[in-house]
Structure formats: C-alpha cells, structure tokens
Amino acid sequence: MAQNADFIRDFSDIDPCVYHYITEKEFDAFCQKYRLVYMHEGKKINLYHIVYWLYNQFTPGKPFYEDFQNHNGFEIFEKCKAGYSPNCACYAIMLNDILLALDFKSKAVWCLSEDPLDTECHALNHVYDEERAQWITVDPACNSIICDEEGNPVDLMTLRSTIRSGNCVYPHRNKHIRRTPAYVEEYNIYMKKNSFQFLTHGEQGLSYPLEDTAILIHPLNTAAKYERNWISSHNIAYLYC
C-alpha cells in the first residue's frame, strides 16, 4: 500500500466489520431470483464477474433512486428494479451488502472534495481481494476495478496518492477491456477533486441515517468542516477493516 504522510494508520482500536443484512437462506433466494452465480467448482467467482452482473441489472436513463439513506443494499436493489436507476451511492451500498453476504471484506466509501459545499462526491467500494491478498478499489457505478498502468488493481490510498501526484489510474471493465484515453482522463480529473477526504462506516456497518455512524477521514492539519454528527478521524485504518 502506498504511504500517505498526511494521514495516520493505526489498527490498535479497530475491529473488522462483520455483519449481514440478509440471512443465508434469503441470500440464496436472491441469487436464484436474479441469477447471480457466485460459486463455480467450489470457488468464489471473481470480483469482475460480480461487478459486471450488478452493473447490468439496471436500465440507464430512468430517474435516480435518491432515498438510499433509508435502506440497505438489498432493499435498494428491489427499489431500483421497480423502475429507478441507481446513482453511485446506491451501487456502492448494493455491492457492499452483496459482498458481505459472500463473506468478502468490503467498505462503502464516499470520496469527497475539500469543499464541504461541494455536493458532487463519488461513492465506491474498498474490497479485500483474497486472491491477491490486498485491498482494491472497485467502482461499481462505472463497472470498473481501478488499476495502475500495468493493469494491477490498486487500493484506495494508492489511488489517492497516484492521482494527486499527477499520474493516472485506470478504470478497467475487466482484465481485457480497457477504457478510452478520454474516459481515463475524465475519470482522473473527477477523482482528483473527489479524493481529498473520505467518509465510511465503522465496525457496526452501514446504519442509517449515516449521521450517527459515519467516520470522516480527513488529512492531518485539516479541520472537519462538515457541520454533521460524523466521527472525525485522520486514521485510514478505518478503510482497511
């Protein structure tokens, strides 16, 4: 993981997130209903497959579903299936809860700019990939896993340090399909603005409203400028648990 000197990294008082919003029986029924095949020959299907499946469940161009703060990922999934398009927050929450049901370690993360009045943030997922034994950045709203120039997935703080040092990350649809240079440039400009600080959930999971449970992770020597009841921290360990 790339070092980020403007944050601390201390796991001493942080417990891993282990929680589910759905029973095993309910999840099996969900997978059968929507044809989510997550096991093959006794092994978990890789993340590319799950992200691709989720992205292709919905028809673009419909009104965005905006009431995501009052529902878990499976409830949001059903709401969007009923006639809405997911926004990035909906995608991140849905993917987070599906991955947790599959026993992945996953965090839904809101990537924020420095300006608290800037409402154009972006939500994605930070996921532990057991095959690679590392955390990687997954952007389900873009149907992408974020990679370096060689095509290796990167963790969220590597994304931040790479973009903010003037280099590029690459949102890949899968191991073989690469985005156009124009798409990559636009994505990097957007994420450079939206990678100053991060909002995520603690050990108790995504509980709504986020006002009481969210953790705002902002750089050292900066103040938490948002006038909300969020936990303020400089500790990026919350993104890796």
Side-chain angles (χ1 to χ4, degrees), residues 43-55:
K43 296 182 180 180
K44 288 181 184 177
I45 296 294
N46 66 43
L47 281 169
Y48 282 108
H49 172 88
I50 298 169
V51 174
Y52 178 84
W53 169 86
L54 179 61
Y55 185 81

Side-chain angles (χ1 to χ4, degrees), residues 9-144:
R9 184 173 179 240
D10 180 8
F11 289 90
S12 58
D13 294 321
I14 298 179
D15 296 322
C17 291
V18 181
Y19 53 89
H20 298 122
Y21 293 111
I22 194 170
T23 67
E24 184 176 345
K25 184 178 180 179
E26 290 170 333
F27 185 63
D28 285 341
F30 173 86
C31 292
Q32 290 180 23
K33 181 178 180 180
Y34 294 111
R35 299 182 181 181
L36 171 57
V37 179
Y38 61 88
M39 296 291 291
H40 180 66
E41 296 181 350
K43 296 182 180 180
K44 288 181 184 177
I45 296 294
N46 66 43
L47 281 169
Y48 282 108
H49 172 88
I50 298 169
V51 174
Y52 178 84
W53 169 86
L54 179 61
Y55 185 81
N56 285 281
Q57 289 298 307
F58 307 103
T59 303
K62 296 182 179 180
F64 282 130
Y65 184 68
E66 302 287 357
D67 195 27
F68 58 85
Q69 292 198 26
N70 294 308
H71 300 282
N72 67 45
F74 296 99
E75 293 168 342
I76 292 170
F77 187 98
E78 297 291 350
K79 295 285 186 181
C80 291
K81 274 295 198 181
Y84 291 93
S85 291
N87 60 19
C88 61
C90 291
Y91 271 116
I93 296 168
M94 288 189 292
L95 182 62
N96 186 70
D97 291 358
I98 289 168
L99 291 179
L100 290 172
L102 291 169
D103 294 324
F104 282 86
K105 297 177 183 177
S106 175
K107 303 296 289 277
V109 182
W110 281 256
C111 304
L112 309 175
S113 73
E114 185 174 4
D115 183 359
L117 299 179
D118 181 2
T119 59
E120 189 190 29
C121 63
H122 189 58
L124 41 68
N125 298 81
H126 207 209
V127 183
Y128 187 75
D129 186 342
E130 292 182 350
E131 289 186 12
R132 296 181 174 85
Q134 71 171 90
W135 288 83
I136 66 174
T137 308
V138 182
D139 193 334
C142 296
N143 190 19
S144 297

